[in-house]
Amino acid sequence: MTLFRLHLSVFVLSYFVTVYGRPAAVHLRNMETFIQAVQLVEDSNPGLPPLALVRALRRTAGHGDKMTIHFLGVSHNASDTEVLETAILNLTTLSYFDKAIHHIVTDYGEERGVVLAQDGTTVALGPLLLGIEMGLKAKMNGISNEGIFPLTLGRTLGLSFLSMQDFPSSYRLGPTGCWDNVDHPKMFKLSQPATLATDAMLIGGMDGAILGMDLSNLPADEPPQALSEILRGYYSFTLNEGHGLDAITSHISPYRRQISKSMLEPLGLHSQVMKTLALVWKLEKTEWIALDNGVGKAVKDGLQEFVHKYWDCPPIISRCQWGAKASRGTPIPLSLPLHFLFVHHTYEPSLPCLSFADCSRDMRSMQRFHQEDRGWNDIGYSFVVGSDGYIYEGSGWNYIGRHTRGHNHIGYGVSIIGNYTATLPSRHAMDLLRRRLVQCAVDRGGLAADFIIHGHRQVVNYTTCPGDTFFSEIRSWEHFRE
């Protein structure tokens, strides 16, 4: 590498830091900003292998624990060329990459090392990049990819289960939190005290496992894409208005739960976490994780909660993520379990929403209409289903909504965004409601196992909701009753 290229790389990323778009652009904690920064490094260093770049990012972030080194080696034992590339990263990204990747939770509950993805989820970059690096190393060197699970999820899950053995299993994972501004995110604050396995760490871990395994399984004659292209292909996508996610077969972030389950469940989660903990104990000689019988039970209980919360239940965008205003009154608790699920369409907005930005805007519009025009305390629905692959929290699991007159206290009201008088919602949106949300509700005690599904029109005589075509569809669903 010439001295000119070294200075050019420093100049290019410095330009991004101080001038590109807005002076504060580098401080934004979203995935697209991170991808842009990665691409600028790639563009200024043609031919830079993605494995060398992701290894240099690991060095910048200071990921040097013994288990990481066991699987990936030290981040600076590369060729002279790669050492130069690492030096470039260290010179030009002190103000960005280190802060973007290095994961910590402050005493004030701010979680750093996380970014807001296009789909509305918050992703920890550390486990994501470790999974990608392990996948690239396995692909390029023709070795086993067995380090992917321990590096992305195994260590995080296992140590979280052990550190909180005396807590109920539902408190050993999470929490999630809220961004200060979803359009210009700079700070993410957790809603409760953190575990080792925060929501962002687990989402980043699932994504790292998916992308790592995808890369390790590439055909021998197919070179991997640049790192920015790998990330953009998974996180940046546009859905077709007519079909939404139904037309997508590639691996993209809204599918992370289904894909990671299909990849990792056959490995045997319990044995894999126990194997990871044994390795941590061997490498770090950490006495408090001596593997006695209590550890096996703690892992078993914790994994049951992980599978329920992150695989079986659908992804739900919280109120603070879509920008909800506070309820104007004191929410009234529901008496659970409920025995009814009332299905709606929104009618207005009349079109399906296909992105986090659009669905969030629709949620804010509906809440504004319900509060200001109808005089209700809050958005009426318990949950709302988008065609972007996500469910949006309304009044939620525990509080009475305003969705089905005279029946709000005995059932959840769930609406799919769009007018379905003449067309059906996407198959994926219907499955989120019909299969995943209701099963999650039963498993968590929100719905009785023998619950009944009704369309809105069946119990309120002045409406055609949820639309003629959609109502004909739900009449074939399990639990529907005339």
Side-chain angles (χ1 to χ4, degrees):
M1 174 177 295
T2 66
L3 184 60
F4 172 76
R5 281 185 60 201
L6 175 61
H7 286 303
L8 177 64
S9 297
V10 174
F11 170 77
V12 168
L13 200 55
S14 296
Y15 180 81
F16 173 78
V17 171
T18 59
V19 179
Y20 187 76
R22 296 179 297 272
V26 74
H27 300 299
L28 297 184
R29 297 292 183 252
N30 56 39
M31 183 64 75
E32 186 55 37
T33 299
F34 178 74
I35 295 173
Q36 288 174 358
V38 168
Q39 187 172 357
L40 283 168
V41 175
E42 294 168 340
D43 290 346
S44 61
N45 297 276
L48 174 65
L51 180 56
L53 176 52
V54 77
R55 183 184 289 130
L57 290 174
R58 171 162 60 99
R59 177 170 172 77
T60 302
H63 291 157
D65 61 89
K66 292 181 178 179
M67 195 181 79
T68 299
I69 294 172
H70 172 79
F71 286 113
L72 296 174
V74 293
S75 57
H76 57 272
N77 67 341
S79 66
D80 290 342
T81 300
E82 290 179 16
V83 170
L84 283 175
E85 305 296 356
T86 302
I88 289 171
L89 284 173
N90 284 334
L91 285 169
T92 58
T93 61
L94 184 61
S95 62
Y96 181 68
F97 280 131
D98 176 56
K99 295 178 181 178
I101 302 171
H102 183 61
H103 184 267
I104 60 169
V105 177
T106 70
D107 292 340
Y108 301 100
E110 178 188 351
E111 187 173 15
R112 300 176 181 172
V114 301
V115 295
L116 178 63
Q118 175 182 298
D119 64 2
T121 54
T122 300
V123 181
L125 290 171
L128 166 67
L129 294 174
L130 289 176
I132 290 174
E133 184 178 349
M134 186 70 244
L136 287 169
K137 182 177 180 180
K139 154 69 177 170
M140 303 307 293
N141 298 339
I143 62 174
S144 168
N145 65 7
E146 66 176 353
I148 290 176
F149 179 76
L151 290 169
T152 58
L153 285 171
R155 188 177 192 273
T156 299
L157 287 172
L159 294 182
S160 184
F161 297 154
L162 293 192
S163 65
M164 305 191 74
Q165 286 188 72
D166 296 331
F167 289 77
S169 59
S170 59
Y171 289 91
R172 298 177 195 177
L173 302 174
T176 185
C178 299
W179 286 96
D180 55 341
N181 186 307
V182 294
D183 294 318
H184 304 290
K186 295 181 180 179
M187 184 179 72
F188 185 73
K189 192 165 184 179
L190 295 172
S191 59
Q192 297 173 7
T195 69
L196 294 175
T198 65
D199 196 62
M201 284 291 286
L202 294 179
I203 289 175
M206 286 188 281
D207 290 351
I210 291 167
L211 292 174
M213 290 188 174
D214 283 349
L215 290 164
S216 68
N217 291 325
L218 285 174
D221 60 348
E222 183 178 337
Q225 296 176 304
L227 178 60
S228 61
E229 293 175 342
I230 293 169
L231 294 173
R232 192 164 278 129
Y234 185 77
Y235 290 106
S236 303
F237 49 86
T238 301
L239 299 181
N240 179 282
E241 184 172 324
H243 303 284
L245 282 169
D246 293 354
I248 303 293
T249 57
S250 58
H251 286 181
I252 59 175
S253 56
Y255 282 135
R256 65 170 58 88
R257 295 184 179 221
Q258 301 97 307
I259 299 169
S260 61
K261 182 177 182 179
S262 68
M263 285 181 165
L264 299 176
E265 194 172 45
L267 301 178
L269 281 184
H270 188 271
S271 63
Q272 289 296 318
V273 172
M274 293 295 289
K275 184 178 178 181
T276 301
L277 287 174
L279 179 61
V280 173
W281 182 86
K282 176 183 176 181
L283 294 173
E284 301 182 5
K285 304 300 183 187
T286 306
E287 296 297 331
W288 66 273
I289 64 168
L291 302 181
D292 57 22
N293 292 334
V295 171
K297 184 179 187 306
V299 170
K300 180 181 178 182
D301 292 344
L303 284 174
Q304 286 179 344
E305 180 64 20
F306 169 75
V307 170
H308 165 73
K309 186 174 180 180
Y310 291 94
W311 281 355
D312 293 342
C313 284
I316 297 176
I317 301 293
S318 67
R319 290 173 59 90
C320 69
Q321 286 295 83
W322 59 260
K325 292 184 178 180
S327 173
R328 291 180 171 177
T330 301
I332 302 174
L334 287 162
S335 179
L336 303 177
L338 304 177
H339 292 270
F340 291 89
L341 179 76
F342 302 109
V343 177
H344 300 248
H345 70 165
T346 61
Y347 191 76
E348 288 291 343
S350 61
L351 296 177
C353 63
L354 299 172
S355 69
F356 166 68
D358 288 344
C359 294
S360 296
R361 186 163 49 249
D362 287 347
M363 292 295 292
R364 292 191 295 270
S365 174
M366 286 187 286
Q367 185 187 42
R368 185 165 53 250
F369 175 70
H370 288 174
Q371 287 184 322
E372 296 178 7
D373 290 28
R374 293 194 168 177
W376 299 348
N377 287 343
D378 206 340
I379 188 170
Y381 304 116
S382 305
F383 296 96
V384 178
V385 182
S387 293
D388 62 337
Y390 291 88
I391 291 174
Y392 290 75
E393 180 186 21
S395 55
W397 294 115
N398 298 314
Y399 298 105
I400 294 177
R402 291 286 297 269
H403 46 79
T404 313
R405 179 176 293 180
H407 298 73
N408 295 311
H409 64 294
I410 61 172
Y412 292 121
V414 182
S415 187
I416 299 183
I417 292 178
N419 178 354
Y420 300 107
T421 301
T423 61
L424 280 175
S426 70
R427 182 59 53 185
H428 189 272
M430 289 191 292
D431 283 347
L432 276 177
L433 167 54
R434 176 185 181 182
R435 303 188 191 283
R436 304 197 65 200
L437 182 66
V438 298
Q439 187 58 55
C440 179
V442 171
D443 291 345
R444 75 190 314 277
L447 277 177
D450 59 349
F451 73 94
I452 292 172
I453 290 178
H454 281 322
H456 186 195
R457 64 172 66 185
Q458 289 178 266
V459 291
V460 177
N461 61 13
Y462 59 80
T463 181
T464 60
C465 179
D468 293 345
T469 303
F470 188 23
F471 182 64
S472 294
E473 166 69 20
I474 70 170
R475 294 177 74 175
S476 67
W477 290 6
E478 303 89 344
H479 295 277
F480 177 85
R481 297 292 182 271
E482 294 289 355

